Amino acid sequence: ALVHRKVGLMATASSSAGGGGGGGSGGVASAAGRLAVDGAKATANATSRSVVMLSTYVAQNPTSVKFICCLLGLALSVASVLSMFNLIGNEEAHEKWDRSRTMQSAYIFFFGMVIVFCELREEWANKGCELQVKLFRYFYFLATQPGRAVFYFYVGSVSLLMWPESDLWKWIYLSLGGALCLLGAIMIGLRCLQCCRGEAPDEPQASA
């Protein structure tokens, strides 16, 4: 009888220890789950704060300048596609269109769309996949007036140097490229005017 009592006590003790271990592992799992949820919430809050900060420091051009930039960017992209596939023009001039000019047309098409999304209204450009937010986040110089002005100068100079054989496309690229360079100069002038008045937006500080 004494032996049976000892065996019963040992069985009870082992079951109690097993129950305690199960409860301890369950507590660790629940704590890990809470930590994961808290981490996800913190990441979401940090992302939303970064988007708000980015939209706060984006330099906005006057409405008239934004409208002209959108029109020029769209016209540049359309002209690049039309010239690349010779939808307007003669066959003789298109035969002299080499691969380098085709690549330049592809680049100008892409740059024209970038100009459109830079100047498009925020609620329109960020519908769906937030293209404008991503563009300004990964290419922050486009969110500033000096960076955007230099970019417009670059795209305008590339358009001026296209110099196709067709007189029609020559004048089209000269007009669009010159207009973009002029817009870049206007944006630099607006930035200088803001600095003289003390109205230039503060640049965001880099955070650790």
Side-chain angles (χ1 to χ4, degrees):
L2 184 59
V3 173
H4 287 299
R5 287 196 197 96
K6 288 182 178 180
V7 171
L9 289 173
M10 291 174 62
T12 304
S14 62
S15 63
S16 300
S25 62
V28 171
S30 62
R34 285 195 299 271
L35 287 175
V37 172
D38 293 341
K41 289 181 179 178
T43 303
N45 291 333
T47 303
S48 62
R49 283 196 302 270
S50 65
V51 171
V52 171
M53 178 180 288
L54 183 63
S55 62
T56 302
Y57 289 106
V58 170
Q60 299 293 339
N61 289 319
T63 305
S64 58
V65 176
K66 292 168 72 71
F67 180 72
I68 295 174
C69 288
C70 284
L71 282 183
L72 282 176
L74 188 60
L76 204 58
S77 297
V78 172
S80 300
V81 173
L82 293 178
S83 62
M84 194 165 24
F85 295 102
N86 194 30
L87 298 179
I88 297 177
N90 51 31
E91 292 293 335
E92 183 180 354
H94 186 68
E95 289 176 357
K96 300 179 181 179
W97 194 272
D98 53 6
R99 291 184 179 179
S100 63
R101 288 179 179 173
T102 301
M103 291 298 297
Q104 283 181 323
S105 297
Y107 286 136
I108 290 176
F109 168 79
F110 175 74
F111 291 152
M113 296 308 299
V114 170
I115 292 173
V116 171
F117 276 99
C118 282
E119 302 294 347
L120 205 60
R121 292 182 63 177
E122 185 178 353
E123 56 268 22
W124 295 349
N126 291 324
K127 279 187 177 180
C129 53
E130 297 185 342
L131 285 176
Q132 192 182 76
V133 170
K134 293 177 181 177
L135 185 67
F136 289 157
R137 181 185 303 166
Y138 296 111
F139 303 96
Y140 180 69
F141 69 94
L142 292 176
T144 64
Q145 272 189 328
R148 213 178 298 172
V150 172
F151 178 71
Y152 291 174
F153 264 114
Y154 171 72
V155 179
S157 63
V158 172
S159 302
L160 289 174
L161 294 175
M162 283 288 291
W163 208 253
E165 298 293 334
S166 173
D167 291 335
L168 173 63
W169 288 114
K170 190 180 298 183
W171 284 109
I172 288 175
Y173 279 113
L174 282 175
S175 302
L176 293 176
L180 275 176
C181 290
L182 180 61
L183 275 176
I186 291 174
M187 291 172 63
I188 291 292
L190 290 174
R191 175 69 176 188
C192 293
L193 186 62
Q194 286 179 348
C195 291
C196 292
R197 292 179 177 178
E199 300 174 358
D202 298 329
E203 299 294 332
Q205 302 293 329
S207 57

